Amino acid sequence: MLVRQTARLAFQKTRAVWAKDEKRTMATKMRVSTEKDEFDFVVVGAGSAGCAIAARLSENEKFSVCLLEAGPVDASPRIHIPYFVGDILGRDKVLNWRFETEPQANLNNRTIYWPRGRTLGGSSSINAMVYIRGHPEDYNGWAAQVAPEHAKHWKYENVLKQFKKSERYEPLWEPAQAKHVEKGLVPSDAEAREHHGTNGSLSVTYIPEYNYLSRVLINAAEQAGYPLTKDFNGDQQEGFGTFQVTQKNGRRCSSARAFLGKTTAQRENIEVYTDSHATRILFGSDGSANGVECIRNKELKTIKARKEVIVAMGAVQSPQLLMLSGIGPKEVFDEFPREISEIKRLDGVGKNLQDHLDVLTVFREIFEKKPHSIGMSWHMAKRVLSSIFSPGGNFKFLSTNYAEVGGFLDSKVMEGLNRPDMQVHFIP
């Protein structure tokens, strides 16, 4: 309760330093719903992909678009103030699905906690905001595995054009930009623009203030002989450096704020239905998807699609919805013969997921008596409250995403890989 009250106070006090068009509301702007039940396109899941897809489709005035989201509107100040990301990831039961895996045989049958966003913006509204595209050779490797006529679309040089098209890279708050460039923590504006777009919707930048221990890690990595990397999305990924984040003026820029922020308020051909949990996809006599069944306002409702149903519920829930709808492997239909009617047997659904696991190593700081750690200690609580109630308080530390710095390393385990296969996050 203290965390949530502090978040509301911090939001109210920090509004003055944010852009004028962001002062009016915390939540993504939306028109009053018309409660229509038939559209050209129905997009299921208002997460990182769903928000972008729905916004892009609605650019054509001839199309009507419905975007379904199981969770609520993104009104909580804890979403928008980066400092409170740990609270949402750890304990929130409204904005976070809080999944647990099945017992893992190779982990002594432990289950693994798996947070997933449950609000407008999906996981982009609860994650640590680190902006990483991946290594160019990842994309070139995928290009080599697909049919030649499709290969060019997967090559990094072509994918980079799309990344830059959707991105709005912005300099840091002054004078932080000059200070960090001088220290070699971030690229200059000219260096960054070579690899980043400036006219897109998704705001990308660096945080304006780094924790003391984050700077210590960078210095230690350099002393240990590791290369320093100014831009993990630039020419060199391997090494240690500062992470870029999806923020604007110290505030989270989720997929919802980036792509739906003004779209839903200005366009009459798009509707966003929150608190609408999709339960299955509906199919016509010809086998094509023609609607979605969902629980909305505690009632089972049908949203019809004249053209397409687009499932954008993420790596966990997209295959789940497909299987609930009758598309999946034989064993699912054998296990639930009464609950699920088979529409299409597709053995790959719900399989072959590859996750990136964390190995946590915790150190206690014993050489410094000053409390540098970021977490919700009494020291940090005092700092937050002091800034809130002090005239002209410094709120830049509230933009921390905790994982301020880190690195990419080549473990040399895989012969001939010649690129990083390990990522290091440092949380002070």
Side-chain angles (χ1 to χ4, degrees):
M1 182 62 70
L2 176 61
V3 172
R4 297 184 181 184
Q5 291 175 344
T6 304
R8 292 191 185 97
L9 287 170
F11 180 82
Q12 291 169 5
K13 293 288 287 187
T14 54
R15 288 172 71 178
V17 301
W18 287 332
K20 293 181 179 179
D21 62 343
E22 294 182 343
K23 286 184 181 180
R24 300 174 187 173
T25 178
M26 291 175 284
T28 300
K29 300 174 184 177
M30 293 192 298
R31 292 180 293 104
V32 176
S33 173
T34 60
E35 293 295 331
K36 293 189 295 186
D37 61 3
E38 186 171 1
F39 301 83
D40 291 318
F41 296 95
V42 177
V43 181
V44 189
S48 298
C51 290
I53 292 170
R56 184 63 184 273
L57 286 170
S58 68
E59 289 178 4
N60 189 328
E61 297 178 355
K62 297 179 180 179
F63 295 151
S64 60
V65 181
C66 178
L67 179 59
L68 296 178
E69 168 55 41
V73 173
D74 54 343
S76 171
R78 293 173 300 131
I79 293 174
H80 305 290
I81 302 177
Y83 181 80
F84 295 97
V85 60
D87 183 57
I88 301 177
L89 281 175
R91 295 179 294 178
D92 197 287
K93 296 181 180 180
V94 176
L95 305 175
N96 185 348
W97 286 101
R98 293 177 54 86
F99 289 138
E100 293 278 346
T101 69
E102 292 291 318
Q104 302 296 301
N106 295 324
L107 294 173
N108 198 27
N109 286 322
R110 286 187 294 126
T111 62
I112 305 300
Y113 173 56
W114 197 328
R116 298 290 295 174
R118 186 182 176 276
T119 181
L120 285 182
S123 293
S124 75
S125 286
I126 72 168
N127 66 12
M129 294 157 278
V130 174
Y131 180 74
I132 293 290
R133 299 170 181 158
H135 196 279
E137 287 307 307
D138 292 334
Y139 296 92
N140 294 335
W142 293 329
Q145 298 177 42
V146 301
E149 61 268 25
H150 301 302
K152 66 177 183 179
H153 301 298
W154 285 102
K155 286 186 176 295
Y156 184 71
E157 61 185 41
N158 291 320
V159 175
L160 178 60
K161 296 176 183 176
Q162 301 305 316
F163 277 126
K164 293 175 73 172
K165 182 179 179 180
S166 69
E167 181 185 9
R168 181 179 293 273
Y169 178 85
E170 298 176 301
L172 297 166
W173 298 347
E174 294 295 348
Q177 174 79 347
K179 179 179 70 175
H180 292 164
V181 169
E182 182 180 344
K183 292 184 176 180
L185 292 174
V186 304
S188 67
D189 198 30
E191 291 173 324
R193 289 179 188 276
E194 183 179 348
H195 300 283
H196 297 274
T198 57
N199 296 314
S201 300
L202 182 65
S203 292
V204 175
T205 186
Y206 290 86
I207 64 172
E209 182 176 275
Y210 290 95
N211 181 271
Y212 168 78
L213 294 177
S214 295
R215 299 194 297 272
V216 167
L217 178 79
I218 298 296
N219 293 335
E222 185 176 23
Q223 292 172 13
Y226 291 102
L228 297 186
T229 302
K230 293 182 180 180
D231 185 350
F232 289 123
N233 295 301
D235 290 326
Q236 172 190 310
Q237 187 184 65
E238 186 171 2
F240 281 81
T242 54
F243 288 121
Q244 291 161 358
V245 292
T246 50
Q247 292 184 12
K248 181 178 177 63
N249 294 333
R251 187 177 182 182
R252 179 193 294 272
C253 182
S254 68
S255 186
R257 294 198 67 83
F259 298 104
L260 296 182
K262 295 181 180 179
T263 300
T264 52
Q266 296 176 353
R267 297 178 187 166
E268 296 185 357
N269 63 330
I270 181 171
E271 296 282 351
V272 180
Y273 291 170
T274 54
D275 299 301
S276 301
H277 189 172
T279 55
R280 66 183 177 120
I281 304 167
L282 303 175
F283 297 90
S285 57
D286 61 351
S288 62
N290 62 7
V292 176
E293 186 180 83
C294 67
I295 298 175
R296 178 167 168 77
N297 298 327
K298 298 182 179 180
E299 295 182 3
L300 193 62
K301 295 191 175 183
T302 297
I303 309 296
K304 299 177 182 178
R306 289 186 287 265
K307 293 184 179 294
E308 291 182 16
V309 173
I310 299 168
V311 180
M313 298 172 64
V316 177
Q317 288 155 290
S318 287
Q320 178 196 36
L321 182 64
L322 289 175
M323 288 187 283
L324 289 173
S325 306
I327 301 176
K330 179 178 181 297
E331 54 264 32
V332 171
F333 308 128
D334 290 343
E335 185 177 357
F336 303 100
R338 295 182 180 179
E339 294 88 348
I340 302 177
S341 299
E342 181 179 338
I343 300 295
K344 173 71 174 180
R345 189 169 298 181
L346 205 58
D347 290 335
V349 175
K351 298 180 180 179
N352 305 315
L353 173 67
Q354 297 184 36
D355 190 20
H356 55 292
L357 300 179
D358 282 342
V359 177
L360 303 182
T361 304
V362 181
F363 292 88
R364 173 171 290 181
E365 183 187 11
I366 59 175
F367 301 107
E368 290 274 358
K369 298 300 182 182
K370 297 179 180 179
H372 295 299
S373 293
I374 296 177
M376 286 304 293
S377 62
W378 283 112
H379 163 73
M380 287 306 297
K382 286 170 60 179
R383 185 178 179 188
V384 173
L385 293 172
S386 175
S387 293
I388 290 172
F389 293 108
S390 298
N394 177 16
F395 294 100
K396 289 183 179 180
F397 74 94
L398 292 177
S399 68
T400 181
N401 66 328
Y402 293 80
E404 300 173 347
V405 300
F408 287 87
L409 307 175
D410 183 355
S411 67
K412 308 297 183 182
V413 172
M414 299 177 64
E415 288 189 26
L417 184 64
N418 298 322
R419 65 177 184 268
D421 57 359
M422 293 178 59
Q423 182 175 1
V424 177
H425 285 286
F426 176 72
I427 301 177

